[in-house]
Amino acid sequence: MTSGIRTPRTPRRRLGALTATVAVVAATALAVLSATPAQAASPLRSLAEGKGKYFGTALTDGDLNISGEMAIANTQFDMVTPGNEMKWDTTEPSNGSYNFGPGDQIVNWAQAHNARVRGHNLVWHSQLPNWVSSLPLTQVQGVMESHITTEATHYKGKVYAWDVINEPFNEDGSLRQDVFYKAMGSGYLADAIRTAHTADPNAKLYINDYNIEGENAKSNALYTLAQQMLSQGVPLGGIGLEAHFIEGQLPSSMLANMQRFADLGLDVAITELDDRIQLPTSSATLQQQGNDYATVVNDCLAVTRCVGVSQWGVDDGHSWIPGTFPGYGAATMYDSNYQPKPAYNATVNALSAGGTTTGGTTTTGGTTSAGGTTGGTGGNCHVTYTKNEWAGGFTADVVVANTGTTSVNGWTLGFSFPGDQKVTNGWNATVTQSGNTVKATNVSYDSTIAPGGTVDFGFQGTWTSNDTSPGSFTLNGTACS
Ligand code: 9MR
């Protein structure tokens, strides 16, 4: 159960004053989507996109009706994890009877706000209906595979990643003795990942857990498991570090730990960040929380294969923390009145420092034509192309800004790959390729680019010998630069 999330016992890492310099981010490349007076900085999503990352949140269907939360979520986040809506007790409450309505609402929000979706989750000992845990063990594998296949097929093409397996480990690194383990032993893990891959070959498939942020018995066991899976050809794609922290108690080995998973060829993601404070808060604890948030963001920025950071929820008033950890609260970047806290400012500063990052190249004060990103302000468009590559594969995030004075209604962005890239799947656009020529056309929910506005789409692909980023772009046939 989630109440089992315990205080990390790893050494404390306290930071002094933030040393990050705030760079001027090129306004043409990273247009401000919209901002309330209390959030005058560029949205977190734009700042993260400038670094080739995302910044996400968790939302429940209930949150979608809370205007204060949505005013923040609608502008700040470009990734969403459904808080509960894709878990087994919601999606298959009785054997073979599926309910995707609640999860679809989260997907609809994402599509309306140019956000990607992190599917959460397919196999977990918790929020698991009794009918599963009381099955004869001989039936569990078939039921698990059917559940994964049906749910992953339903959301195929709509989720960027799946937490296929959630929280499989005990604190000592042994596997939980849940019904899946009892039925299949440790083999259920690879079976679940392979089954999800068959259903949705383009989704990044994760194992997600808590108290694995630093190097310890639990993360060591996961590391060994990941090595084994990869050596056996299991299509594991990433490791999700939940990051439910306590103020002032971040593990000092977090960066090294993330990097060792990345070095295996896996993506890593901070999936459920919050940082609870013993109540009442003080200016010192709120400041320390800011330092903690900055540490998390900086560690993600420092690891090329860290794809992004998601906070668990939007604001302190709707966080799960007070209900689960009596005496603790104030765990997010926004207070109960939706006002940004020091943690928000620290996050903005961390995301703003050092310029934009593109394909491993960091530049200060604007966009660059080196390292894969190309910009231009000729014509009425400006394109920022941010690549995250690894041996044989890459993702590209493309932000198209309308620098003209009239709306663009319906768009196709054209470009050519200088290398041998092949697009495998896209999001927020229909991406087609013929030879080296690529065309990305709007989907229904992002067809309009207002004057001064942006759209953000992306795609995943493969490459063999040359992953050089495109050097020029056209929007509806007219050169952007
Ligand atoms: O935020 C979720 C909360 O609404 C549920 O009551 C709870 C039940 O287990 O699950 C919460 O989300 C959990 C996530 O799915 C997995 N990691 C821990 C999260 C916080 O408990």
Side-chain angles (χ1 to χ4, degrees), residues 2 5 83-84 87 120-121 124 126-127 166-167 242 244 272 312 320:
T2 53
I5 295 175
N84 292 306
K87 294 173 182 173
H120 176 80
N121 54 60
W124 188 24
S126 183
Q127 293 182 272
N166 202 44
E167 303 176 355
E242 293 188 9
H244 293 294
E272 305 183 10
W312 201 245
W320 69 294

mmCIF file of all heavy atoms in Angstrom, residues 2 5 83-84 87 120-121 124 126-127 166-167 242 244 272 312 320, ligand 1:
data_model
loop_
_atom_site.group_PDB
_atom_site.id
_atom_site.type_symbol
_atom_site.label_atom_id
_atom_site.label_comp_id
_atom_site.label_asym_id
_atom_site.label_seq_id
_atom_site.Cartn_x
_atom_site.Cartn_y
_atom_site.Cartn_z
ATOM 1 N N THR A 2 0.294 2.300 -0.413
ATOM 2 C CA THR A 2 1.065 3.516 -0.527
ATOM 3 C C THR A 2 1.492 4.050 0.825
ATOM 4 O O THR A 2 2.487 4.740 0.938
ATOM 5 C CB THR A 2 0.252 4.587 -1.247
ATOM 6 O OG1 THR A 2 -0.994 4.713 -0.564
ATOM 7 C CG2 THR A 2 0.017 4.203 -2.670
ATOM 8 N N ILE A 5 5.085 3.911 2.010
ATOM 9 C CA ILE A 5 6.185 4.754 1.566
ATOM 10 C C ILE A 5 6.819 5.381 2.786
ATOM 11 O O ILE A 5 6.169 6.071 3.552
ATOM 12 C CB ILE A 5 5.677 5.836 0.593
ATOM 13 C CG1 ILE A 5 5.164 5.157 -0.671
ATOM 14 C CG2 ILE A 5 6.785 6.821 0.283
ATOM 15 C CD1 ILE A 5 4.535 6.092 -1.643
ATOM 16 N N GLY A 83 -4.370 10.053 -11.946
ATOM 17 C CA GLY A 83 -4.118 9.707 -10.540
ATOM 18 C C GLY A 83 -4.635 8.326 -10.192
ATOM 19 O O GLY A 83 -3.991 7.576 -9.460
ATOM 20 N N ASN A 84 -5.800 7.977 -10.686
ATOM 21 C CA ASN A 84 -6.406 6.682 -10.367
ATOM 22 C C ASN A 84 -7.091 6.015 -11.561
ATOM 23 O O ASN A 84 -7.432 4.837 -11.484
ATOM 24 C CB ASN A 84 -7.467 6.858 -9.258
ATOM 25 C CG ASN A 84 -6.834 7.230 -7.927
ATOM 26 O OD1 ASN A 84 -5.940 6.537 -7.429
ATOM 27 N ND2 ASN A 84 -7.279 8.333 -7.343
ATOM 28 N N LYS A 87 -6.041 2.596 -13.281
ATOM 29 C CA LYS A 87 -5.669 1.466 -12.422
ATOM 30 C C LYS A 87 -6.706 0.343 -12.551
ATOM 31 O O LYS A 87 -7.865 0.583 -12.895
ATOM 32 C CB LYS A 87 -5.545 1.954 -10.974
ATOM 33 C CG LYS A 87 -4.391 2.940 -10.787
ATOM 34 C CD LYS A 87 -4.374 3.545 -9.389
ATOM 35 C CE LYS A 87 -3.248 4.564 -9.248
ATOM 36 N NZ LYS A 87 -3.308 5.286 -7.952
ATOM 37 N N HIS A 120 -0.820 4.857 -16.244
ATOM 38 C CA HIS A 120 -0.475 4.457 -14.871
ATOM 39 C C HIS A 120 -1.668 3.732 -14.272
ATOM 40 O O HIS A 120 -2.641 4.383 -14.003
ATOM 41 C CB HIS A 120 -0.135 5.706 -14.069
ATOM 42 C CG HIS A 120 0.153 5.454 -12.627
ATOM 43 N ND1 HIS A 120 1.363 4.991 -12.194
ATOM 44 C CD2 HIS A 120 -0.595 5.616 -11.521
ATOM 45 C CE1 HIS A 120 1.344 4.893 -10.869
ATOM 46 N NE2 HIS A 120 0.163 5.252 -10.451
ATOM 47 N N ASN A 121 -1.656 2.476 -14.065
ATOM 48 C CA ASN A 121 -0.618 1.524 -14.392
ATOM 49 C C ASN A 121 -1.280 0.218 -14.768
ATOM 50 O O ASN A 121 -2.498 0.083 -14.609
ATOM 51 C CB ASN A 121 0.334 1.349 -13.178
ATOM 52 C CG ASN A 121 -0.445 0.992 -11.911
ATOM 53 O OD1 ASN A 121 -1.153 -0.024 -11.829
ATOM 54 N ND2 ASN A 121 -0.354 1.839 -10.892
ATOM 55 N N TRP A 124 -0.217 -3.914 -10.611
ATOM 56 C CA TRP A 124 0.135 -3.362 -9.288
ATOM 57 C C TRP A 124 -0.613 -4.161 -8.230
ATOM 58 O O TRP A 124 -1.783 -4.500 -8.417
ATOM 59 C CB TRP A 124 -0.279 -1.884 -9.232
ATOM 60 C CG TRP A 124 0.171 -1.114 -8.028
ATOM 61 C CD1 TRP A 124 1.223 -1.387 -7.217
ATOM 62 C CD2 TRP A 124 -0.435 0.079 -7.505
ATOM 63 N NE1 TRP A 124 1.328 -0.435 -6.229
ATOM 64 C CE2 TRP A 124 0.321 0.485 -6.382
ATOM 65 C CE3 TRP A 124 -1.545 0.849 -7.876
ATOM 66 C CZ2 TRP A 124 -0.001 1.609 -5.617
ATOM 67 C CZ3 TRP A 124 -1.853 1.976 -7.129
ATOM 68 C CH2 TRP A 124 -1.088 2.353 -6.012
ATOM 69 N N SER A 126 -1.687 -3.026 -5.528
ATOM 70 C CA SER A 126 -2.664 -2.168 -4.851
ATOM 71 C C SER A 126 -3.710 -1.692 -5.847
ATOM 72 O O SER A 126 -3.478 -1.711 -7.057
ATOM 73 C CB SER A 126 -1.919 -0.987 -4.239
ATOM 74 O OG SER A 126 -2.805 -0.169 -3.525
ATOM 75 N N GLN A 127 -4.819 -1.214 -5.323
ATOM 76 C CA GLN A 127 -5.952 -0.824 -6.189
ATOM 77 C C GLN A 127 -6.215 -1.921 -7.223
ATOM 78 O O GLN A 127 -6.465 -1.664 -8.395
ATOM 79 C CB GLN A 127 -5.711 0.557 -6.806
ATOM 80 C CG GLN A 127 -5.734 1.639 -5.717
ATOM 81 C CD GLN A 127 -5.546 3.041 -6.241
ATOM 82 O OE1 GLN A 127 -4.427 3.508 -6.377
ATOM 83 N NE2 GLN A 127 -6.656 3.724 -6.526
ATOM 84 N N ASN A 166 4.045 -1.526 -11.414
ATOM 85 C CA ASN A 166 4.143 -0.498 -10.391
ATOM 86 C C ASN A 166 4.542 -1.117 -9.057
ATOM 87 O O ASN A 166 3.938 -2.115 -8.628
ATOM 88 C CB ASN A 166 2.781 0.205 -10.245
ATOM 89 C CG ASN A 166 2.903 1.572 -9.645
ATOM 90 O OD1 ASN A 166 3.789 2.333 -10.024
ATOM 91 N ND2 ASN A 166 2.025 1.900 -8.716
ATOM 92 N N GLU A 167 5.569 -0.574 -8.465
ATOM 93 C CA GLU A 167 5.953 -0.879 -7.081
ATOM 94 C C GLU A 167 6.086 -2.380 -6.802
ATOM 95 O O GLU A 167 5.452 -2.909 -5.894
ATOM 96 C CB GLU A 167 4.950 -0.219 -6.121
ATOM 97 C CG GLU A 167 4.886 1.289 -6.353
ATOM 98 C CD GLU A 167 3.841 2.008 -5.494
ATOM 99 O OE1 GLU A 167 3.081 1.334 -4.777
ATOM 100 O OE2 GLU A 167 3.785 3.240 -5.558
ATOM 101 N N GLU A 242 9.557 7.516 -8.345
ATOM 102 C CA GLU A 242 8.381 8.266 -7.895
ATOM 103 C C GLU A 242 8.769 9.581 -7.231
ATOM 104 O O GLU A 242 8.143 10.603 -7.429
ATOM 105 C CB GLU A 242 7.532 7.401 -6.959
ATOM 106 C CG GLU A 242 6.899 6.221 -7.691
ATOM 107 C CD GLU A 242 5.895 5.463 -6.845
ATOM 108 O OE1 GLU A 242 5.529 5.924 -5.728
ATOM 109 O OE2 GLU A 242 5.478 4.378 -7.286
ATOM 110 N N HIS A 244 8.670 10.569 -3.874
ATOM 111 C CA HIS A 244 7.858 11.091 -2.762
ATOM 112 C C HIS A 244 8.819 11.364 -1.608
ATOM 113 O O HIS A 244 9.132 10.473 -0.810
ATOM 114 C CB HIS A 244 6.794 10.068 -2.352
ATOM 115 C CG HIS A 244 5.761 9.844 -3.401
ATOM 116 N ND1 HIS A 244 4.872 10.823 -3.794
ATOM 117 C CD2 HIS A 244 5.470 8.757 -4.161
ATOM 118 C CE1 HIS A 244 4.070 10.355 -4.740
ATOM 119 N NE2 HIS A 244 4.427 9.101 -4.982
ATOM 120 N N GLU A 272 6.456 11.081 -9.736
ATOM 121 C CA GLU A 272 5.399 11.446 -8.783
ATOM 122 C C GLU A 272 5.939 12.413 -7.728
ATOM 123 O O GLU A 272 5.651 12.292 -6.534
ATOM 124 C CB GLU A 272 4.839 10.191 -8.098
ATOM 125 C CG GLU A 272 4.333 9.136 -9.074
ATOM 126 C CD GLU A 272 3.707 7.914 -8.403
ATOM 127 O OE1 GLU A 272 3.483 7.940 -7.171
ATOM 128 O OE2 GLU A 272 3.440 6.933 -9.121
ATOM 129 N N TRP A 312 3.249 14.997 -8.297
ATOM 130 C CA TRP A 312 2.038 14.206 -8.031
ATOM 131 C C TRP A 312 0.933 15.143 -7.546
ATOM 132 O O TRP A 312 0.833 15.454 -6.379
ATOM 133 C CB TRP A 312 2.313 13.093 -7.024
ATOM 134 C CG TRP A 312 1.279 12.001 -7.112
ATOM 135 C CD1 TRP A 312 0.377 11.640 -6.155
ATOM 136 C CD2 TRP A 312 1.053 11.113 -8.224
ATOM 137 N NE1 TRP A 312 -0.406 10.602 -6.605
ATOM 138 C CE2 TRP A 312 -0.018 10.256 -7.878
ATOM 139 C CE3 TRP A 312 1.636 10.973 -9.486
ATOM 140 C CZ2 TRP A 312 -0.511 9.270 -8.736
ATOM 141 C CZ3 TRP A 312 1.136 9.991 -10.341
ATOM 142 C CH2 TRP A 312 0.087 9.154 -9.965
ATOM 143 N N TRP A 320 -2.360 14.070 -1.824
ATOM 144 C CA TRP A 320 -2.657 12.846 -1.067
ATOM 145 C C TRP A 320 -1.933 12.813 0.283
ATOM 146 O O TRP A 320 -2.260 12.002 1.145
ATOM 147 C CB TRP A 320 -2.230 11.623 -1.889
ATOM 148 C CG TRP A 320 -0.726 11.477 -2.043
ATOM 149 C CD1 TRP A 320 0.111 12.329 -2.713
ATOM 150 C CD2 TRP A 320 0.109 10.454 -1.493
ATOM 151 N NE1 TRP A 320 1.411 11.890 -2.629
ATOM 152 C CE2 TRP A 320 1.441 10.741 -1.892
ATOM 153 C CE3 TRP A 320 -0.128 9.314 -0.723
ATOM 154 C CZ2 TRP A 320 2.520 9.929 -1.525
ATOM 155 C CZ3 TRP A 320 0.953 8.504 -0.361
ATOM 156 C CH2 TRP A 320 2.245 8.813 -0.761
HETATM 157 O O1 9MR B 1 -2.921 9.637 -5.705
HETATM 158 C C1 9MR B 1 -3.464 8.354 -5.561
HETATM 159 C C2 9MR B 1 -4.540 8.410 -4.504
HETATM 160 O O2 9MR B 1 -5.635 9.178 -4.942
HETATM 161 C C3 9MR B 1 -5.009 7.026 -4.166
HETATM 162 O O3 9MR B 1 -5.869 7.098 -3.053
HETATM 163 C C4 9MR B 1 -3.823 6.159 -3.828
HETATM 164 C C5 9MR B 1 -4.255 4.774 -3.505
HETATM 165 O O4 9MR B 1 -3.206 3.882 -3.456
HETATM 166 O O5 9MR B 1 -2.923 6.141 -4.925
HETATM 167 C C6 9MR B 1 -2.392 7.374 -5.152
HETATM 168 O O6 9MR B 1 -1.383 7.334 -6.130
HETATM 169 C C7 9MR B 1 -0.270 6.527 -5.846
HETATM 170 C C8 9MR B 1 0.313 6.055 -7.173
HETATM 171 O O7 9MR B 1 -0.693 5.444 -7.924
HETATM 172 C C9 9MR B 1 1.472 5.119 -6.956
HETATM 173 N N1 9MR B 1 2.482 5.680 -6.119
HETATM 174 C C10 9MR B 1 2.015 6.297 -4.879
HETATM 175 C C11 9MR B 1 0.871 7.273 -5.139
HETATM 176 C C12 9MR B 1 0.441 7.948 -3.864
HETATM 177 O O8 9MR B 1 -0.149 7.043 -2.979
#
